[in-house]
Amino acid sequence: MSVFKNPPCVLDSGKRDPTIEETLKAAGFDPNLCIQCGTCTASCPSGRWTAMRTREVMRKAAFSIEVVLSDPDIWLCTTCYQCYDRCPRDLQVTDAIIALRNLASARGFISDKHRKTVDLLHKTGHAVPINDRIRKIRKELGLPELPPTVYCYPEELEKLGKTLFQLPPRPEDHDEEEER
Amino acid sequence: MAQSYSLFLGCIMPNRYPAIESTTRFVLDKLGIEIKEMERAGCCPAPGVFRSFNKPDWMVAAARNLAIAEANGADLLTVCNGCFGTLFEVNHALKNDEELKKDVNARLADLGYHVEANQEVKHIAQVLGFDIGPYGIRDYLKRKVRLRGAIHYGCHFLRPFHLKQIDDPEDPTILEDYFEALGVELIDYRRKHACCGAGGGVRAGHIEVSLEMLGEKMAAITEVGAEAILDICPFCHLQFDTGQKSLNEKFGTNFNVPVIHISQLTAFAMGLDDIGLEYQTIAPDFKLEAVEL
């Protein structure tokens, strides 16, 4: 029988998936080296304004807790690399977050807003496509109206779109994550 | 032989701030650097969004851009921290991993390209700040500028440090030395080296968080009375320029600090009067003040 009337709050393990830990290791973040010092959290510009705590994300991921993949927290990282450069154990934190995002994306956890940037890339070859106002300004500045990028080569653009960034659909039981 | 570079345009510079492109071309021409066009190049692709969705695909798309520069036979030059982050990292990875290079080339072959990763990827701030340098640039200046400026480095120019090895990311001086040579009076401000909040897909996915980060920087910049923000990245440029308007609309603030790219300011000091500030969202009527040499 437990000595506790109310059992102490321990890490809620949730569902675990060992691929998460393997992904971290492959990305240059060996969970056994992390001393959970929190330098990453303290360095995080996004964490100043949100409930995202880098140390906590890395801890959950180190324990392979599956919910870390569907949690919008990993998408609040601006990839500023401050945690990465400051980690006293030289762990590649930012790259690990990117690897987690890759794993999340492969399972369809990508927000609609992010899916739109991929649509733009497929349609125009650019994440930020040109518009009529800019075409006019380009002419005024003495530049070619259209830069000679892949946008001017629709056949190649179509081929690229078919080859790259084909995103899996969102899992059926998962709604678009709520806005903060 | 004259120095030449393959100029990588990217997305935001040609498609949102064409004045950065025209001033970059003006500056490189004055420096006697030949520009080789990168026909068919596309998005770098952005290290925040696309690398997060599928890193192998991101590498292939970036390697395709590198291959276009290699076919030109001239090192790749970017004007943007994001493009620099992507292209530098992929070039570095391919250089140091033969297996990876083989895999990437296998996929590139279907698209009709081949990458060797035998060239360098450079940022315009590196070319101006180091290769030409604060002393070298004096020979090219027609005038100086009278301006109290606040520098914003952005993230991917200096970080991650073990890859870039350009300057100490915690306390760099490369831009300070350079802008001072152009006559700028520099002012420090709180959180100078913090992120603008645009990267990592945060601006695309969580605009409110992105604006909060920007707001903190803008408050500090306004507090010290900077006349302009000096940056080296079109994405930070976009965030500062349109972000101030969004902040003003959303929070009733009154931010109105023009943002000037390193190419624009250099072009002005080299004698170009129209550096395209009138096309920007914030402070389109701002005029730079010249000091004759």
Side-chain angles (χ1 to χ4, degrees), chain B:
Chain B
M1 200 180 75
Q3 173 84 52
S4 61
Y5 283 112
S6 303
L7 180 64
F8 183 75
L9 300 178
C11 299
I12 300 177
M13 176 177 77
N15 296 345
R16 284 295 174 275
Y17 293 99
I20 300 181
E21 183 182 339
S22 61
T23 50
T24 301
R25 289 178 188 277
F26 177 86
V27 167
L28 292 176
D29 179 55
K30 290 282 175 204
L31 293 172
I33 295 173
E34 187 196 346
I35 296 173
K36 302 219 168 159
E37 300 298 337
M38 286 182 63
E39 290 237 352
R40 294 171 185 264
C43 183
C44 53
V49 273
F50 302 116
R51 180 172 51 158
S52 300
F53 304 151
N54 190 329
K55 197 166 174 182
D57 281 8
W58 167 79
M59 277 208 164
V60 170
R64 178 180 165 277
N65 288 326
L66 293 171
I68 294 171
E70 283 170 18
N72 273 345
D75 286 349
L76 190 150
L77 179 69
T78 90
V79 182
C80 168
N81 286 0
C83 304
F84 187 58
T86 288
L87 297 168
F88 189 100
E89 185 182 325
V90 173
N91 195 37
H92 185 271
L94 294 173
K95 262 186 190 181
N96 292 291
D97 190 340
E98 283 298 323
E99 276 299 305
L100 179 74
K101 194 155 96 180
K102 228 195 261 168
D103 294 347
V104 168
N105 269 323
R107 289 189 65 188
L108 270 184
D110 297 338
L111 299 167
Y113 293 88
H114 180 82
V115 69
E116 273 303 320
N118 54 8
Q119 293 191 333
E120 299 300 320
V121 171
K122 284 197 154 182
H123 192 296
I124 185 94
Q126 224 179 339
V127 172
L128 293 173
F130 270 145
D131 295 357
I132 310 285
Y135 294 100
I137 197 72
R138 291 174 184 183
D139 300 340
Y140 300 95
L141 298 187
K142 292 264 184 309
R143 57 188 176 187
K144 288 198 175 183
V145 59
R146 181 175 290 130
L147 179 75
R148 277 165 61 83
I151 289 178
H152 171 76
Y153 271 87
C155 302
H156 297 111
F157 177 47
L158 300 173
R159 295 182 193 273
F161 176 69
H162 78 100
L163 286 185
K164 304 286 166 61
Q165 302 198 8
I166 293 172
D167 202 349
D168 175 6
E170 300 289 346
D171 190 13
T173 55
I174 168 169
L175 291 185
E176 279 80 354
D177 292 345
Y178 180 76
F179 281 123
E180 215 156 54
L182 301 185
V184 179
E185 182 197 338
L186 300 164
I187 13 182
D188 274 343
Y189 57 99
R190 275 184 297 120
R191 298 190 65 68
K192 177 176 171 185
H193 299 295
C195 175
C196 69
V202 177
R203 190 181 155 86
H206 299 270
I207 184 79
E208 339 72 48
V209 180
S210 167
L211 286 178
E212 275 164 346
M213 279 186 254
L214 177 73
E216 194 181 12
K217 280 205 82 133
M218 280 316 305
I221 289 169
T222 308
E223 190 183 282
V224 296
E227 289 167 343
I229 301 157
L230 306 173
D231 68 2
I232 58 170
C233 166
F235 198 24
C236 302
H237 203 87
L238 176 91
Q239 170 80 340
F240 277 113
D241 193 38
T242 62
Q244 286 185 65
K245 189 173 169 237
S246 312
L247 282 171
N248 292 347
E249 286 168 1
K250 238 184 159 136
F251 301 104
T253 49
N254 213 359
F255 296 128
N256 191 34
V257 187
V259 43
I260 306 174
H261 189 271
I262 189 170
S263 294
Q264 291 176 297
L265 199 71
T266 308
F268 181 82
M270 285 176 167
L272 188 71
D273 283 320
D274 181 13
I275 56 168
L277 295 181
E278 70 273 22
Y279 299 118
Q280 298 186 174
T281 311
I282 283 290
D285 46 0
F286 180 79
K287 291 274 179 297
L288 279 169
E289 208 180 313
V291 180
E292 297 310 317
L293 288 179

Side-chain angles (χ1 to χ4, degrees), chain A residues 84-129:
Chain A
Y84 181 111
D85 272 353
R86 291 175 184 172
C87 176
R89 306 304 300 253
D90 279 344
L91 296 174
Q92 308 191 335
V93 191
T94 314
D95 286 356
I97 292 175
I98 296 287
L100 290 176
R101 285 179 175 188
N102 266 251
L103 198 56
S105 298
R107 297 180 186 185
F109 296 120
I110 308 171
S111 74
D112 289 343
K113 286 173 183 167
H114 282 148
R115 284 174 190 270
K116 270 181 205 144
T117 63
V118 176
D119 288 345
L120 285 175
L121 186 75
H122 284 162
K123 272 185 210 136
T124 68
H126 290 284
V128 180

